[in-house]
Amino acid sequence: MDPVPLQSADWQFIFDNAEYLLFGTVVTILLTLSSLTLGFLAGFPAGAIEVYGSGWLRDLVSTVGVLLRGTPIVVLIFLFHFGLPIPRLWTVEVLDQELFQLGVFVSATLALGLRSGAYQAQVFRGAIQSIGEGQMEAARSVGLSKLQAIRHIVFPQAIRRSVPGFQNEFTIVLKDTSVAFAIGLAELLTRAENLYLQPGRDTAAVEVILAISAIYFVLTFATNRALDHLEDVYAVPGGTE
Amino acid sequence: MTSESDMNRRAYLATVGAAGVTGVAGCLGGNGDGDGTGNGNGNESGNGDGDGTEVIVPGTASGFPPFEYTENGELVGFDIELAEEVITRAGYEVGDWVDIEFESLTPSLLNEELDLVAAAMTINEERAQQIAFTDPYYEANQAVLVPSGGDFQPEAESDLEGRVVGAQSSTTGEDEVDRLIEEGVVDEGDYRQYDNYTLAVQDLENGNVDAIVIDIPVANNFSDSRDVEVAFTIETGEEYGLGMRQDDDRIQDVNDALAEVQEDGTYEELVSKYFDQSDE
């Protein structure tokens, strides 16, 4: 068999549907942002609790983390959607185009966000533990309370060291948003499949997949570059650790 | 710790979620290889406004042309038009379509996110334990697709021996391949599973599989647009039905409307609109 010819008509078809794919991209970006935000809000304190917490609270946090990290994302998304009584709420529309049902979006955010939180907790835990014990002791000896020391000495350094791990997490969440179609959220990949699954349009499958791969790449590349830049700007001046 | 109570609430939610695992898992076992425990979860919602609503929310899994697919952002297809016609004639209002993965349709139906499944769903015992089906509206016979003009021209199931065969997961086509595996015709290692039939046909054209098993109307669509042809058909005796909840008594009205649509020629119009493609 000869390789699949890339036909110009199929590229034309993609350009004709650019707006449709763009809306899918918007859904993907929104879901990535909401999930990462929830993941950060849950993961940062969770990471701190795993390092500084005590007794039952710490056990609880680490158990929940293990459960979330050990469950496949498709199963999680099903659980949150079918297991929790999340109402469908209302439909979010842009320019008369239906983007998504808010209830479905909330379920997807919970699943992706809490799982991301469990992973981010480990990123932050590693970062916090990488700040030398001596710094904590020094901070306490100049009269800071434990909380103050965490807030002013450990946290600013740990957050900087978390950037590479966070970049990783962003990339994973971005690409995992595509599982949200399991509960009917039409993001970029779903919309792409809708395009080439039309009768007579199946010749465009390869071209459509190439097109959305490019979109995912641009999103990943741009965000990672932005985070690299952020890391440079906020790097601790001086020393080359 | 400022966020202590927050953490607790999240942990609580996660725990509640985990408690739901078994229940949901029960629903999820609704397709595939016949290990259905059929606990069905007895989804009796007692919200009491079930009879007052005049809306039936239909659901489907697009990406199965010509039954259901998306064109210019709109959901179209044989099932889509048929369901809308039937719901309207039964005296109800058509709600907003829910478009979701095929595997999610049954849980969503039981969850009352949708009221009626129109997704080329084959009536089988396993599904009938969980949901109610209307009278059948389509015969789901299968076609065996092979590359056009190739060396491999099977004429019967036995010709598939030792060949690589593909199908879309959770479809009647897959059930047929499973049957061929059980009968020893096809080796288990020679089965290729796809997320959708477009990718399966792509692989067939590329020579990665020798044949795929697929619904006849869908097969005819592909043989018009791609370099593939129907080698022979398999009479499965299986039929498609519209799915509803077992406690939904509106199913009688839907059945009456379905009979009416089939008798007055509307059904035929839809068939010729979506399936009768001239052989170009």
Side-chain angles (χ1 to χ4, degrees):
Chain A
M1 292 302 291
D2 25 323
V4 183
L6 297 179
Q7 292 148 340
S8 56
D10 288 333
W11 287 110
Q12 187 58 48
F13 167 64
I14 292 170
F15 284 118
D16 293 345
N17 284 284
E19 189 183 88
Y20 183 72
L21 285 176
L22 183 72
F23 279 130
T25 312
V26 169
V27 175
T28 291
I29 292 172
L30 286 176
L31 183 57
T32 306
L33 287 177
S34 65
S35 304
L36 278 175
T37 307
L38 174 62
F40 182 80
L41 294 176
F44 195 82
I49 287 170
E50 285 204 36
V51 179
Y52 299 111
S54 59
W56 65 270
L57 179 63
R58 183 175 165 181
D59 292 346
L60 183 75
V61 168
S62 78
T63 306
V64 170
V66 167
L67 280 177
L68 285 168
R69 288 197 301 276
T71 313
I73 187 65
V74 177
V75 176
L76 278 180
I77 225 164
F78 260 99
L79 275 182
F80 281 102
H81 190 61
F82 296 114
L84 296 177
I86 298 170
R88 284 192 69 177
L89 302 170
W90 58 86
T91 306
V92 176
E93 287 185 1
V94 173
L95 309 173
D96 285 344
Q97 282 237 12
E98 183 184 327
L99 268 192
F100 49 74
Q101 292 282 345
L102 195 61
V104 174
F105 187 84
V106 169
S107 304
T109 298
L110 278 175
L112 283 162
L114 292 179
R115 187 192 65 149
S116 176
Y119 279 102
Q120 286 184 43
Q122 300 311 303
V123 170
F124 296 128
R125 183 171 71 98
I128 290 169
Q129 285 174 334
S130 74
I131 311 294
E133 287 260 317
Q135 296 211 27
M136 185 55 131
E137 285 168 20
R140 298 302 304 273
S141 70
V142 296
L144 295 179
S145 71
K146 191 172 183 182
L147 265 183
Q148 282 175 318
I150 293 171
R151 160 83 183 78
H152 295 290
I153 307 295
V154 178
F155 175 90
Q157 298 180 79
I159 203 90
R160 288 179 171 91
R161 290 186 185 181
S162 305
V163 173
F166 189 80
Q167 281 175 317
N168 222 357
E169 192 50 36
F170 156 78
T171 312
I172 291 167
V173 171
L174 172 72
K175 288 182 297 198
D176 273 350
T177 50
S178 56
V179 304
F181 180 53
I183 55 172
L185 190 68
E187 39 54 69
L188 181 56
L189 183 64
T190 306
R191 283 177 178 244
E193 289 188 335
N194 284 346
L195 286 185
Y196 71 75
L197 288 173
Q198 294 172 22
R201 291 296 184 182
D202 38 319
T203 53
V206 176
E207 288 85 347
V208 168
I209 289 169
L210 283 174
I212 65 160
S213 299
I215 295 175
Y216 277 119
F217 176 78
V218 168
L219 290 176
T220 310
F221 187 80
T223 309
N224 277 327
R225 273 304 157 94
L227 286 169
D228 281 341
H229 182 67
L230 201 73
E231 199 178 10
D232 290 344
V233 169
Y234 287 102
V236 179
T240 50
E241 266 194 280
Chain B
M1 281 287 119
T2 46
S3 55
E4 212 169 286
S5 62
D6 238 16
M7 281 306 305
N8 287 344
R9 202 172 324 126
R10 281 203 193 86
Y12 169 74
L13 282 182
T15 322
V16 170
V21 172
T22 43
V24 179
C27 295
L28 294 185
N31 46 41
D33 43 10
D35 61 345
T37 48
N39 59 0
N41 266 358
N43 205 314
E44 306 285 336
S45 64
N47 56 5
D49 61 308
D51 301 335
T53 59
E54 289 298 304
V55 178
I56 289 187
V57 178
T60 192
S62 67
F64 200 61
F67 288 96
E68 43 267 332
Y69 54 98
T70 314
E71 201 162 64
N72 304 325
E74 294 289 314
L75 202 56
V76 288
F78 178 81
D79 279 341
I80 309 299
E81 284 201 46
L82 181 74
E84 289 183 352
E85 184 71 24
V86 164
I87 291 171
T88 309
R89 292 219 199 175
Y92 300 99
E93 194 185 321
V94 182
D96 283 341
W97 279 91
V98 175
D99 185 14
I100 200 163
E101 251 178 7
F102 192 79
E103 285 85 354
S104 307
L105 282 166
T106 300
S108 290
L109 177 68
L110 297 176
N111 215 22
E112 303 197 8
E113 285 177 50
L114 49 98
D115 304 313
L116 179 137
V117 173
M121 192 179 260
T122 302
I123 301 170
N124 65 27
E125 267 181 50
E126 215 175 318
R127 289 182 181 136
Q129 285 180 332
Q130 295 195 314
I131 64 176
F133 281 105
T134 61
D135 297 331
Y137 67 90
Y138 201 87
E139 284 190 353
N141 289 325
Q142 299 290 299
V144 174
L145 268 186
V146 295
S148 301
D151 303 334
F152 180 49
Q153 296 288 353
E155 287 165 10
E157 289 177 12
S158 55
D159 294 342
L160 294 173
E161 193 155 0
R163 294 291 184 161
V164 180
V165 182
Q168 179 180 330
S169 59
S170 310
T171 58
T172 307
E174 183 176 61
D175 292 343
E176 289 303 302
V177 177
D178 284 343
R179 181 178 60 80
L180 291 172
I181 291 171
E182 271 174 39
E183 292 173 4
V185 178
V186 176
D187 283 337
E188 196 154 1
D190 285 343
Y191 171 51
R192 301 283 180 274
Q193 189 185 48
Y194 297 91
D195 273 351
N196 60 57
Y197 270 120
T198 297
L199 299 178
V201 171
Q202 185 84 52
D203 238 6
L204 185 69
E205 275 196 331
N206 293 353
N208 297 326
V209 280
D210 295 319
I212 57 179
V213 184
I214 179 172
D215 294 82
I216 289 177
V218 190
N220 290 336
N221 254 354
F222 281 124
S223 60
D224 285 345
S225 66
R226 303 299 285 264
D227 228 2
V228 295
E229 61 190 10
V230 176
F232 65 94
T233 56
I234 301 174
E235 299 277 324
T236 59
E238 292 189 342
E239 293 167 311
Y240 297 158
L242 302 171
M244 294 178 78
R245 279 183 298 278
Q246 288 173 335
D247 61 351
D248 193 336
D249 45 21
R250 294 177 294 188
I251 196 164
Q252 284 160 342
D253 300 337
V254 171
N255 269 330
D256 293 346
L258 191 59
E260 193 182 302
V261 165
Q262 283 171 320
E263 280 157 22
D264 73 359
T266 315
Y267 180 88
E268 280 308 313
E269 277 171 33
L270 286 180
V271 168
S272 56
K273 177 173 175 182
Y274 283 106
F275 302 130
D276 290 357
Q277 287 163 321
S278 54
D279 287 294
E280 290 154 21

